Amino acid sequence: MKIELASSLGFCFGVQRAIDIAQTNTGSKTYGPLIHNKDEINRLKTDFNVGLVDNLKSINSDDTIVVRTHGIEKHELEELQNNGQTIIDATCPYVTTPQNIVSHMSKEGYSIVIFGDENHPEIKGVKSYSEVEDTFVVANEDDLNDLSLKNKVAVISQTTKKFKDYNKIISKLISSKREVRVFNTICNATSENQDAALELAQKSDVMIIIGGKQSSNTKQLFNICKENCNNSYLIENEKELQEEWFMGKELCGISAGASTPGWIISNVKNKIMDMTSE
Amino acid sequence: MKIELASSLGFCFGVQRAIDIAQTNTGSKTYGPLIHNKDEINRLKTDFNVGLVDNLKSINSDDTIVVRTHGIEKHELEELQNNGQTIIDATCPYVTTPQNIVSHMSKEGYSIVIFGDENHPEIKGVKSYSEVEDTFVVANEDDLNDLSLKNKVAVISQTTKKFKDYNKIISKLISSKREVRVFNTICNATSENQDAALELAQKSDVMIIIGGKQSSNTKQLFNICKENCNNSYLIENEKELQEEWFMGKELCGISAGASTPGWIISNVKNKIMDMTSE
């Protein structure tokens, strides 16, 4: 069986940057998981003594705190600052941008619409920067129906969303509002991985998508692959691979979410090669 | 044969307002045709002594000048003002709005994209309010291809355009720009006439669309009708009606552009009744 990696996969710029920051700050603690990948977080603990705290109360005064890739809520950052904590900000710059936009637009009197997953840390963080009540997170265009919005609306998207879906929200808003200020906050890295996964899935007999089960961009990669290749499987690491997935198949494609480190991709590829070697 | 008028047709708010202004200013002159309807302009001349001047040089110092519904270019307005001319502004408020938006956005450093017909007086006027070089009129999304635009773009539409087409322009811009500030400057009156014409065309055997041959909104009405009723005819007044259009037909629908006065619609309806009465 042939194995092919997607032409673009795995770590995006923001994740690579956060890992680099964490590795150069041995002994620090990340506030919340640095990225959506348990194995990589374990590696950072083992190899670089980078710890993890989950709530503000369990932080010691001399801790150096790394703010994770997806960002945190404004009041949490302020609390850390007020505690006099040493803070190292590993928030992806592509996430800092929508945080700043939401802050600025809410001050300028716009209603705020955020296209994203309400429970995702990136979106919780971004939303917290708004200073107006009429700030809404929508998962799709139908969610716009009952919102009480001013005639001036600013819109941003979760960085990992698909442009096609963002466009549906924008179109619906524009048809009923006087001014819609649209910020394109979707990250190219996501669409590059998606395009490459799509292309590969279309010709593969089986597709393996590697990534955290909570990772928004990984779930989307999986959906795209599933639509184009029936035998698509989402795994976190090589331990989940099953031999029968590859029986009688000619081409196996591999894609990986933005939080998946290269070493896990290699492990998966090697294990598949072992499983299928005759 | 049955005759049915579209549930919404003819004069929009801005045109009705301009006619009212002209009628209350007997002896005035409009700078450019007040609306896109020769017959109505002749009626204003005959009944209210409202004249017409086509260029600034032929204006006398004691003339009272009515600025027409579609607006004029900024430098023309300034020249009239500098001449000390008495000016009565009949520009439709829905056209003044995009003029102001273009002025304001260009001062704020946005590139300007105007969706409309480059040669239409409304668009010439609106465009003239921009203070930046990178101000472009596009007729469709393909026209965006070679434009040199900043990463911040403000977009407005000619008041008479179709929302569906405007949306294509917006989608394309958003996919490549960081911020797209979209102003919904499309006038409801146009879409109301269009929706009513569509509904009527779908059930009619023959459709008569009345309006100026240069009128942008009339041309769109005609296109909508033609797509849904093969026997669609665009006329300026009842003189153009031809008896054979109605032979063997059961239902004749009538729609009319925003510049078509009620008295012309009545004339057309009456003439069709005469032609088809047994």
Side-chain angles (χ1 to χ4, degrees):
Chain A
M1 191 188 67
K2 223 184 122 197
I3 301 174
E4 189 174 327
L5 296 185
S7 60
S8 170
L9 82 173
F11 275 3
C12 61
F13 159 79
V15 168
Q16 185 61 60
R17 178 175 168 275
I19 302 281
D20 292 345
I21 289 172
Q23 290 185 168
T24 54
N25 286 280
T26 52
S28 64
K29 292 176 179 172
T30 67
Y31 179 51
L34 186 69
I35 63 171
H36 277 140
N37 190 291
K38 287 180 227 156
D39 295 319
E40 181 68 358
I41 286 167
N42 290 339
R43 189 189 67 86
L44 288 172
K45 178 72 193 162
T46 310
D47 295 358
F48 295 89
N49 190 28
V50 174
L52 168 64
V53 287
D54 266 331
N55 65 75
L56 292 167
K57 292 203 181 74
S58 55
I59 293 174
N60 301 320
S61 59
D62 58 346
D63 282 342
T64 292
I65 297 298
V66 177
V67 173
R68 64 181 170 194
T69 326
H70 304 106
I72 58 177
E73 292 183 43
K74 191 183 175 192
H75 74 91
E76 295 175 307
L77 185 62
E78 285 167 351
E79 208 162 319
L80 287 171
Q81 285 164 337
N82 292 341
N83 286 351
Q85 218 73 52
T86 303
I87 302 167
I88 294 164
D89 193 358
T91 308
C92 172
Y94 293 124
V95 175
T96 312
T97 299
Q99 288 174 348
N100 292 339
I101 290 170
V102 163
S103 167
H104 186 58
M105 288 299 102
S106 67
K107 280 179 195 143
E108 287 210 6
Y110 288 81
S111 292
I112 309 286
V113 169
I114 301 167
F115 171 42
D117 303 326
E118 198 159 23
N119 298 316
H120 193 284
E122 174 188 328
I123 293 307
K124 283 186 184 171
V126 166
K127 188 183 179 193
S128 72
Y129 280 81
S130 174
E131 300 189 6
V132 292
E133 280 292 311
D134 46 341
T135 303
F136 303 99
V137 178
V138 298
N140 54 53
E141 66 273 27
D142 294 334
D143 283 355
L144 292 168
N145 287 344
D146 303 313
L147 303 187
S148 175
L149 297 166
K150 292 192 280 276
N151 240 324
K152 284 169 63 178
V153 181
V155 205
I156 61 118
S157 170
Q158 189 167 344
T159 52
T160 45
K161 286 290 178 189
K162 278 194 267 189
F163 180 72
K164 194 180 75 180
D165 298 329
Y166 190 29
N167 213 19
K168 287 182 194 158
I169 308 242
I170 296 160
S171 300
K172 185 152 176 179
L173 278 172
I174 291 165
S175 67
S176 64
K177 296 295 159 194
R178 210 154 45 212
E179 182 191 342
V180 183
R181 204 158 163 180
V182 184
F183 295 88
N184 188 348
T185 51
I186 292 175
C187 174
N188 280 346
T190 307
S191 62
E192 281 165 14
N193 280 5
Q194 287 176 356
D195 292 346
L198 169 67
E199 200 188 319
L200 186 53
Q202 281 168 338
K203 61 178 182 180
S204 295
D205 303 304
V206 52
M207 275 298 295
I208 302 300
I209 301 92
I210 318 165
K213 302 249 158 92
Q214 268 116 51
S215 158
S216 168
N217 79 84
T218 303
K219 275 185 268 181
Q220 285 188 64
L221 274 182
F222 175 67
N223 290 337
I224 288 167
C225 291
K226 188 82 194 159
E227 278 169 25
N228 291 279
C229 174
N230 266 336
N231 305 307
S232 292
Y233 302 97
L234 173 57
I235 60 171
E236 298 207 343
N237 57 47
E238 73 278 10
K239 290 172 203 143
E240 297 176 43
L241 288 169
Q242 295 180 28
E243 214 165 322
E244 67 257 34
W245 295 348
F246 309 101
M247 284 166 71
K249 303 291 189 294
E250 286 188 8
L251 177 62
C252 168
I254 298 179
S255 176
S259 302
T260 306
W263 61 270
I264 295 185
I265 299 173
S266 293
N267 287 356
V268 168
K269 190 181 172 188
N270 293 337
K271 178 90 179 275
I272 298 174
M273 284 170 74
D274 287 348
M275 278 177 164
T276 56
S277 63
E278 285 158 39
Chain B
M1 191 189 65
K2 224 183 120 195
I3 300 174
E4 188 173 327
L5 296 185
S7 59
S8 170
L9 83 173
F11 274 5
C12 62
F13 158 80
V15 167
Q16 185 61 60
R17 178 175 168 275
I19 302 281
D20 292 345
I21 289 172
Q23 289 185 169
T24 53
N25 287 281
T26 53
S28 65
K29 291 175 178 170
T30 67
Y31 178 51
L34 186 69
I35 63 171
H36 277 140
N37 191 291
K38 287 180 226 156
D39 295 320
E40 180 68 0
I41 286 168
N42 290 340
R43 189 189 67 87
L44 288 172
K45 178 71 192 163
T46 310
D47 295 359
F48 295 89
N49 190 29
V50 174
L52 168 64
V53 287
D54 267 330
N55 64 74
L56 292 166
K57 293 204 179 73
S58 55
I59 293 174
N60 301 319
S61 59
D62 58 346
D63 282 341
T64 293
I65 297 298
V66 177
V67 174
R68 64 183 169 190
T69 325
H70 305 106
I72 60 177
E73 292 183 44
K74 191 182 176 193
H75 75 91
E76 295 175 306
L77 184 63
E78 285 167 351
E79 208 162 319
L80 288 170
Q81 284 164 336
N82 292 341
N83 286 350
Q85 219 74 53
T86 304
I87 302 166
I88 295 164
D89 193 357
T91 308
C92 173
Y94 293 123
V95 175
T96 312
T97 299
Q99 288 174 349
N100 292 339
I101 291 170
V102 163
S103 167
H104 185 57
M105 288 300 101
S106 66
K107 280 179 195 142
E108 287 210 5
Y110 288 80
S111 292
I112 309 285
V113 169
I114 301 167
F115 171 43
D117 303 326
E118 198 160 21
N119 298 315
H120 193 283
E122 174 188 327
I123 294 306
K124 283 184 184 172
V126 166
K127 187 183 178 192
S128 72
Y129 279 80
S130 174
E131 299 188 8
V132 291
E133 281 293 311
D134 46 339
T135 303
F136 303 98
V137 179
V138 298
N140 53 54
E141 65 274 26
D142 294 334
D143 283 356
L144 293 169
N145 288 342
D146 303 314
L147 304 186
S148 176
L149 296 167
K150 292 192 279 273
N151 240 325
K152 283 170 63 177
V153 181
V155 206
I156 61 117
S157 169
Q158 190 167 343
T159 52
T160 46
K161 286 290 178 190
K162 279 194 268 190
F163 179 72
K164 194 179 73 180
D165 298 329
Y166 190 30
N167 213 20
K168 288 181 195 160
I169 310 246
I170 296 162
S171 300
K172 185 153 176 178
L173 279 172
I174 292 167
S175 68
S176 64
K177 296 296 160 193
R178 210 154 43 210
E179 182 190 343
V180 183
R181 203 158 163 178
V182 184
F183 295 88
N184 188 348
T185 51
I186 292 175
C187 174
N188 280 346
T190 306
S191 61
E192 281 165 12
N193 280 4
Q194 288 176 355
D195 291 346
L198 170 67
E199 199 188 320
L200 186 53
Q202 281 168 339
K203 62 179 182 180
S204 295
D205 304 305
V206 51
M207 275 298 296
I208 303 300
I209 300 92
I210 318 164
K213 303 249 157 95
Q214 268 115 53
S215 158
S216 168
N217 78 84
T218 303
K219 275 186 268 181
Q220 286 189 63
L221 274 182
F222 175 67
N223 289 337
I224 288 168
C225 292
K226 187 81 193 161
E227 278 168 26
N228 291 279
C229 173
N230 265 336
N231 305 306
S232 291
Y233 302 98
L234 172 57
I235 61 171
E236 298 208 342
N237 57 45
E238 71 278 10
K239 289 172 203 142
E240 299 175 43
L241 288 169
Q242 296 181 28
E243 216 166 321
E244 67 259 32
W245 295 347
F246 309 101
M247 286 166 72
K249 302 292 188 294
E250 286 188 9
L251 177 62
C252 169
I254 297 179
S255 176
S259 303
T260 305
W263 61 270
I264 295 185
I265 299 171
S266 293
N267 286 355
V268 168
K269 188 181 173 187
N270 292 337
K271 179 91 179 275
I272 296 174
M273 283 170 73
D274 285 350
M275 278 178 164
T276 55
S277 64
E278 286 160 36

